[in-house]
């Protein structure tokens, strides 16, 4: 049984920016342990000489002609924003200190 | 609401298309009939089919009248012009809510159409609304929708499959003749299998992903769902093709899927080489599933196909590799839901609340359990110290799976297997056991890892009276082979049954609340 501790889950949840209750952390630790057990076999299924595949279709550096074309208007882009002001997204303070 | 069912909702898209062209019916009549059907069976959320999260009655009828007017003027219209369609709620629709089955996007109205949706509009299809799904397409049951599950029209106590359970159930409940789905690990094919309908995951890059809200970008593929192979092909032809707005879109011609479906309808498979995948049968597959699959293979042989059994040994690691690659990509893709630019924002109590606190509170409230599980799993698999063992190894397995398919397709034209190891299980049965749910994707996942196209079509009913799906797989950009083989099997099976499988779906009586 892969052990993934509650404090590890807490750390991962912090990295993933998700607040979790104590109950959630406990439940998640158990379930993730079981899933990791089941998927750990991949490490023994492969050898060093097998190249990794990140993508099913080998397309690289797809570009388009560098010409101006219509995009979203500022009003459209802001229409779904939780808060906006003066044509910009309004967000909570980003730094811990008072500005 | 009258208890009589308007016959138009039982017509397939190809029949509706012919009747519309011949002006035997109007798009307005057809659209109204489907809206009435939705009103009769889809709600309430607690007991109805609940295939739709949003019904756009007014805009659908307005569009239908436009198509009728164009046709009256003698305009040249697409084959499916005036035919109604449901769109999985994972594709953006300008001016129409798009939630991805998540609280995170409750009430969000996208400012643009997905390319697939734009193609539907251009071809004159009438969008009825948005169909239910597991949150951000993570799940195999639609129980992970924040808005409650969809029910299986064959038995309201059972799952309709997922993540595209809404798109499949809408077809089986005669709420729409066509729907769009998306398939990252089987989300088109497995719902098709358990509802007795047809669904195709096209070749990766064959249909644009622009406006398809990303789950796992290297695996996601939008595709067509319908009640017959020919209808599926007609819809495939509308949505497929190169899109400059999607850098992973394949710049090549679309195979002639409609021609292949018509060719296959003769029921002849002379000269077609079919491979039965050893690893996708046997242990873990229900007896009733195996029985229908074995009969379908025998039928292909009778139709003239050369059938051989082939081993693809690395497929046994595909499920494990998938459940590392998918969460890894998902944890990255879902990072954009941060409560800053669109969607939900939750601000905790207190002074000097920071953006990071808002993000954490928003994501805690906005994501359901399954989404959180996969985000945390992906974050773990990508973290320093584990990356090589987990994500790195999974990517290598992906190479081995692709090689297995390449070798197999050197010997046969298509591969076949059951679509899913079981028929539809009961709602709630695997809700707290994610591993058990994941195991149901074992036969569909390999195609996503390899980027190859796959179809599920009805193979009959199991001993429990529930539908079984036959999966057909083809090499990349040979989607037409799915339609040739699928149409031939369909033609022979419906002749045996004396009509389509869905003629046997019980009339919807609703679930008990």
């Amino acid at each position: 049984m892969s052990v993934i501790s509650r404090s590890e889950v807490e750390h991962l949840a912090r990295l993933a920016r998700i607040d979790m209750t104590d109950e959630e952390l406990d439940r998640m630790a158990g379930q993730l342990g079981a899933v990791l057990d089941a998927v750990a076999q991949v490490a023994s299924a492969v050898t060093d000489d097998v190249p990794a595949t990140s993508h099913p279709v080998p397309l690289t550096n797809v570009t388009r002609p560098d010409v101006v074309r219509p995009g979203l208007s500022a009003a459209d882009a802001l229409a779904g924003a939780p808060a906006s002001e003066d044509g910009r997204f309004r967000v909570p303070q980003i730094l811990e200190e008072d500005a | 609401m009258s208890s009589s069912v308007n016959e138009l909702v039982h017509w397939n898209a190809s029949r509706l298309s012919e009747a519309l062209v011949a002006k035997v019916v109007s798009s307005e009549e057809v659209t109204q009939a489907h809206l009435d059907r939705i009103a009769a069976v889809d709600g309430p959320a607690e007991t109805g089919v609940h295939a739709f999260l949003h019904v756009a009655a007014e805009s659908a009828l307005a569009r239908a009248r436009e198509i009728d007017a164009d046709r009256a003027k003698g305009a040249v219209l697409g084959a499916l012009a005036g035919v109604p369609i449901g769109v999985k709620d994972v594709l953006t629709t300008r001016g129409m809510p798009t939630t991805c089955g998540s609280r995170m996007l409750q009430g969000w109205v996208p400012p643009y159409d997905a390319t697939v949706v734009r193609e539907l509009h251009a071809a004159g299809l009438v969008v009825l609304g948005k169909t239910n799904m597991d949150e951000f397409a993570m799940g195999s049951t639609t129980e992970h929708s924040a808005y409650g599950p969809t029910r299986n029209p064959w038995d309201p106590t059972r799952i309709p499959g997922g993540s595209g359970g809404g798109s499949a159930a809408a077809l089986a409940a005669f709420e729409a003749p066509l729907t769009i789905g998306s398939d990252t690990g089987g989300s088109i094919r497995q719902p098709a299998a358990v509802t007795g309908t047809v669904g195709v995951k096209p070749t990766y890059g064959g249909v644009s992903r622009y406006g398809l809200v990303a789950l796992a970008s290297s695996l996601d593929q939008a595709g067509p769902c319908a009640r017959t192979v020919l209808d599926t092909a007609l819809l495939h032809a509308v949505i497929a093709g190169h899109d400059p707005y999607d850098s992973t879109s394949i710049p090549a011609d679309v195979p002639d899927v409609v021609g292949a479906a018509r060719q296959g309808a003769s029921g002849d498979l002379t000269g077609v080489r079919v491979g039965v995948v050893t690893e996708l049968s046997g242990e873990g597959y229900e007896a009733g599933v195996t029985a229908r699959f074995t009969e379908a293979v025998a039928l292909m042989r009778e139709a003239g196909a050369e059938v051989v059994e082939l081993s693809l040994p690395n497929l046994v690691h595909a499920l494990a590799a998938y459940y590392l690659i998918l969460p890894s990509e998902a944890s990255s893709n879902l990072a954009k839901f941060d409560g800053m630019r669109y969607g939900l924002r939750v601000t905790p109590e207190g002074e000097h609340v920071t953006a990071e606190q808002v993000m954490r509170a928003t994501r805690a409230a906005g994501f359901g359990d399954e989404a959180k599980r996969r985000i945390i799993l992906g974050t773990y698999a990508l973290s320093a110290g584990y990356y090589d063992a987990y994500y790195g190894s999974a990517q290598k397995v992906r190479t081995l799976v692709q090689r297995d398919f390449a070798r197999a397709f050197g010997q046969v034209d298509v591969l076949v297997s059951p679509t899913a190891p079981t028929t539809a299980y009961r709602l709630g049965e695997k809700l707290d056991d994610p591993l058990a749910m994941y195991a149901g994707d074992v036969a569909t996942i390999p195609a996503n890892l390899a980027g190859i196209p796959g179809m599920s079509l009805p193979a009959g009913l199991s001993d429990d009276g529930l539908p079984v799906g036959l999966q057909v797989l083809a090499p990349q950009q040979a989607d037409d082979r799915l339609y040739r083989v699928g149409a031939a099997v369909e033609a022979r099976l419906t002749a045996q049954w004396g009509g389509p499988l869905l003629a046997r779906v019980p009339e919807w009586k609703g679930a008990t609340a």
Side-chain angles (χ1 to χ4, degrees):
Chain A
M1 175 87 194
S2 301
V3 177
I4 178 156
S5 68
R6 192 175 176 288
S7 65
E8 265 183 293
V9 177
E10 198 171 7
H11 173 67
L12 293 166
R14 201 175 310 123
L15 290 177
R17 304 282 188 270
I18 303 175
D19 279 338
M20 283 197 184
T21 63
D22 289 348
E23 186 270 330
E24 271 187 298
L25 289 172
D26 287 335
R27 191 156 37 92
M28 197 71 74
Q31 287 170 338
L32 289 181
V35 173
L36 284 173
D37 255 0
V39 298
Q41 57 162 292
V42 294
S44 53
V46 296
T47 48
D48 287 345
D49 59 335
V50 178
T53 296
S54 62
H55 206 271
V57 181
L59 291 167
T60 46
N61 297 337
V62 177
T63 59
R64 65 171 174 85
D66 187 15
V67 290
V68 177
R69 63 184 185 193
L72 289 183
S73 68
D76 273 351
L78 290 169
S84 64
E85 193 177 306
D86 297 336
R88 297 180 178 85
F89 294 102
R90 187 182 165 86
V91 301
Q93 78 176 66
I94 290 164
L95 302 173
E96 300 288 340
E97 304 84 36
D98 283 323
Chain B
M1 179 60 51
S2 150
S3 63
S4 68
V5 179
N6 189 324
E7 186 50 30
L8 288 176
V9 302
H10 288 128
W11 291 16
N12 295 327
S14 45
R15 181 170 176 196
L16 286 170
S17 161
E18 283 167 23
L20 285 163
V21 169
K23 297 182 187 148
V24 177
V25 292
S26 69
S27 177
E28 188 178 356
E29 284 171 78
V30 172
T31 302
Q32 188 63 57
H34 285 91
L35 290 170
D36 290 347
R37 177 68 180 168
I38 291 169
V41 304
D42 206 61
E46 296 73 29
T47 55
V49 180
H50 199 223
F52 282 87
L53 292 178
H54 178 76
V55 179
E58 269 181 46
S59 66
L61 287 168
R63 181 66 178 142
R65 287 186 207 108
E66 267 176 29
I67 298 292
D68 288 337
D70 287 349
R71 201 182 304 274
K73 280 184 267 177
V76 179
L77 303 173
L80 294 175
V83 178
I85 188 164
V87 177
K88 190 177 180 184
D89 207 25
V90 71
L91 288 144
T92 58
T93 41
R94 186 179 170 87
M96 194 185 289
T98 299
T99 69
C100 296
S102 180
R103 260 183 240 300
M104 189 63 89
L105 291 177
Q106 191 160 19
W108 182 54
V109 180
Y112 71 106
D113 277 328
T115 295
V116 164
V117 172
R118 220 174 49 228
E119 298 285 2
L120 296 179
H121 288 317
L125 282 104
V126 175
V127 176
L128 294 170
K130 306 298 287 290
T131 60
N132 199 6
M133 56 186 282
D134 288 294
E135 182 174 15
F136 291 110
M138 291 186 267
S140 313
T141 65
T142 71
E143 293 169 296
H144 299 288
S145 166
Y147 306 101
T150 298
R151 288 171 193 81
N152 192 322
W154 289 84
D155 177 348
T157 68
R158 291 179 187 269
I159 62 150
S163 65
S167 282
L171 298 168
F174 302 101
E175 297 176 72
L178 299 171
T179 52
I180 297 290
S182 71
D183 190 314
T184 304
S187 289
I188 287 175
R189 289 163 287 158
Q190 178 258 15
V194 300
T195 58
T197 58
V198 183
V200 166
K201 179 203 101 67
T203 297
Y204 182 90
V207 172
S208 171
R209 289 188 303 112
Y210 181 74
L212 172 71
V213 178
L215 169 55
S217 307
S218 78
L219 304 164
D220 294 343
Q221 187 56 65
C225 312
R227 289 193 289 258
T228 70
V229 172
L230 176 60
D231 282 6
T232 312
L234 291 167
L235 182 55
H236 190 136
V238 168
I239 61 174
H242 181 242
D243 178 16
Y245 280 63
D246 173 2
S247 63
T248 57
S249 172
I250 298 172
D253 291 340
V254 180
D256 180 13
V257 292
V258 175
R262 292 194 196 282
Q263 185 194 2
S266 68
D268 181 33
L269 289 177
T270 305
V272 177
R273 298 169 302 165
V274 176
V276 175
V277 183
T278 311
E279 285 73 15
L280 301 182
S281 64
E283 200 186 336
Y285 289 76
E286 286 177 357
V289 170
T290 301
R292 294 300 87 75
F293 174 67
T294 309
E295 289 160 16
V297 172
L299 208 62
M300 287 185 249
R301 212 177 257 127
E302 276 172 40
E306 293 168 36
V307 181
V308 294
E309 185 168 327
L310 283 175
S311 173
L312 283 76
N314 290 294
L315 293 201
V316 299
H317 305 297
L319 189 70
Y322 175 86
Y323 276 102
L324 285 164
I325 292 169
L326 178 131
S328 299
E329 293 191 18
S331 68
S332 166
N333 273 324
L334 296 180
K336 65 176 161 285
F337 298 105
D338 58 5
M340 297 297 133
R341 290 150 301 160
Y342 56 98
L344 184 71
R345 176 184 289 182
V346 175
T347 306
E349 296 284 319
E351 283 178 65
H352 310 303
V353 174
T354 64
E356 184 174 330
Q357 287 171 314
V358 170
M359 285 179 198
R360 290 166 56 160
T362 299
R363 290 162 67 80
F367 290 134
D369 277 356
E370 183 63 18
K372 286 178 187 170
R373 256 194 303 268
R374 296 199 195 187
I375 290 170
I376 298 294
L377 182 60
T379 307
Y380 180 81
L382 291 176
S383 30
Y386 299 110
Y387 184 96
D388 286 343
Y390 289 114
Y391 186 65
S393 299
Q395 287 193 315
K396 290 181 174 186
V397 168
R398 196 168 183 175
T399 306
L400 297 176
V401 167
Q402 290 189 343
R403 286 180 185 168
D404 276 3
F405 276 119
R407 203 174 304 122
F409 287 127
Q411 296 170 62
V412 296
D413 301 307
V414 295
L415 292 166
V416 293
S417 76
T419 308
T422 70
T423 56
Y425 45 88
R426 290 196 189 281
L427 288 161
E429 197 176 316
K430 300 184 182 178
L431 199 51
D432 294 319
D433 188 355
L435 266 184
M437 179 178 78
Y438 299 169
D441 303 336
V442 66
T444 46
I445 275 170
N448 299 82
L449 291 178
I452 61 171
M455 168 186 281
S456 179
L457 73 152
L461 301 181
S462 181
D463 316 331
D464 55 12
L466 294 167
V468 173
L470 168 70
Q471 177 175 241
V472 187
L473 302 171
Q476 282 190 11
Q477 292 176 263
D479 305 44
D480 50 332
R481 293 185 197 171
L482 307 177
Y483 289 97
R484 162 118 195 253
V485 172
V489 172
E490 179 188 58
R492 284 175 176 264
L493 282 173
T494 48
Q496 261 181 22
W497 299 331
L501 194 70
L502 276 176
R504 292 190 244 170
V505 71
E507 179 50 31
W508 181 257
K509 291 196 182 66
T512 39

